[in-house]
Amino acid sequence: MPQPFEKFQPATARYHGEIAVALSRAARLAYNNAVECATFSKQWGFTRRRLIDRRETQCLVMGNSSVVVVSFRGTEPGKLKDWMSDLDTQFCDACFGRVHNGFNMAISHVWDELNACVAEYQDKGQSLWIAGHSLGAALATLAAARWRSIDKPVHGLYSFGGPRVGDRVFERAFDQDFGARNFRFVNNADLVTRVPLRTMGYSHTGTTLCFDEKGKLESDPGVWDTFLNRMQGRIEDLGKLGPADLKQHSIDHYVKLCEKNRAVNPF
């Protein structure tokens, strides 16, 4: 079986199915402990790696002669319901606009160490890629925004099952700068992608890529609109996720769907 980064395209900024597979695998690896992260990243061809873990914010940095990959850990399944039912969110000022204060604090815990690590690993001008699942998708988005706010090149952001991160000002400004390289994957009825609510002033960024009920990858905005309409009546269930909901949201499911659609160009 080929390693996930064997067919990675380090120089492109366009969507590529092999990149989606590799970065979904990286997002899953970020859930592992330091030993497992070191073992798999070495097998994947990364000569350097560092697991940064500060105050419950965890990210994995992997580097080789071609790429540097930053992958953020998502929400632990046992804590998912508590996180989703806590809708008392606040905005804070950040680059490009206002963002979720809790997410911003979480990225701040690791930012200085992360920034220094990436600078160290980019010793040959390697392209920079960012990934994350669930809460990790939100942190990945904020990391990309912080780097782009200082004009640091980021080749791509691939996020999976992520919540909304900022307000409409943040969305519009960040998308104008980086929207074409920001690919946000949504699996059919994944409720996590519905929070925080739009009625609270939150809005998604990036190019939405939806897996429909049959697992087919779509980039048509109408698919996302249909999903929103279909899930409107389930907002009250955000704190009562069952096994089917957790499966829709799981990183394992996103990895399988990316692998299924690795040869698909949704554009």
Side-chain angles (χ1 to χ4, degrees), residues 10-15 19 23 127-130 144 148 152-159 174-184 206-207 267:
T12 186
R14 297 178 180 177
Y15 176 82
I19 296 176
L23 293 183
S127 56
L128 177 60
W129 300 83
I130 312 174
R148 288 303 308 141
K152 181 178 179 62
V154 177
H155 264 64
L157 164 62
Y158 284 59
S159 65
F174 188 42
D175 277 357
Q176 183 176 7
D177 178 82
F178 192 67
R181 301 185 182 200
N182 178 1
F183 302 103
R184 185 176 64 84
T207 301
F267 303 103

Side-chain angles (χ1 to χ4, degrees), residues 69-81:
V69 175
V70 177
S71 177
F72 288 87
R73 184 186 67 185
T75 310
E76 297 294 341
K79 299 179 180 179
L80 184 58
K81 292 184 181 180

Side-chain angles (χ1 to χ4, degrees), residues 67-178:
V67 299
V68 173
V69 175
V70 177
S71 177
F72 288 87
R73 184 186 67 185
T75 310
E76 297 294 341
K79 299 179 180 179
L80 184 58
K81 292 184 181 180
D82 292 339
W83 172 66
M84 288 183 65
S85 62
D86 182 11
L87 299 180
D88 186 20
T89 54
Q90 301 292 326
F91 281 115
C92 68
D93 292 328
C95 53
F96 293 109
R98 297 187 304 159
V99 301
H100 185 289
N101 184 58
F103 298 160
N104 193 59
M105 290 179 62
I107 188 69
S108 295
H109 294 327
V110 299
W111 185 249
D112 290 343
E113 185 175 357
L114 171 60
N115 205 27
C117 182
V118 169
E120 176 187 344
Y121 286 8
Q122 281 190 301
D123 55 353
K124 297 180 180 179
Q126 293 93 330
S127 56
L128 177 60
W129 300 83
I130 312 174
H133 166 254
S134 191
L135 173 61
L139 302 183
T141 301
L142 290 179
R146 287 189 179 199
W147 276 318
R148 288 303 308 141
S149 72
I150 58 172
D151 289 328
K152 181 178 179 62
V154 177
H155 264 64
L157 164 62
Y158 284 59
S159 65
F160 308 90
R164 297 182 177 103
V165 173
D167 65 4
R168 288 282 285 171
V169 173
F170 176 81
E171 175 211 350
R172 290 167 178 167
F174 188 42
D175 277 357
Q176 183 176 7
D177 178 82
F178 192 67

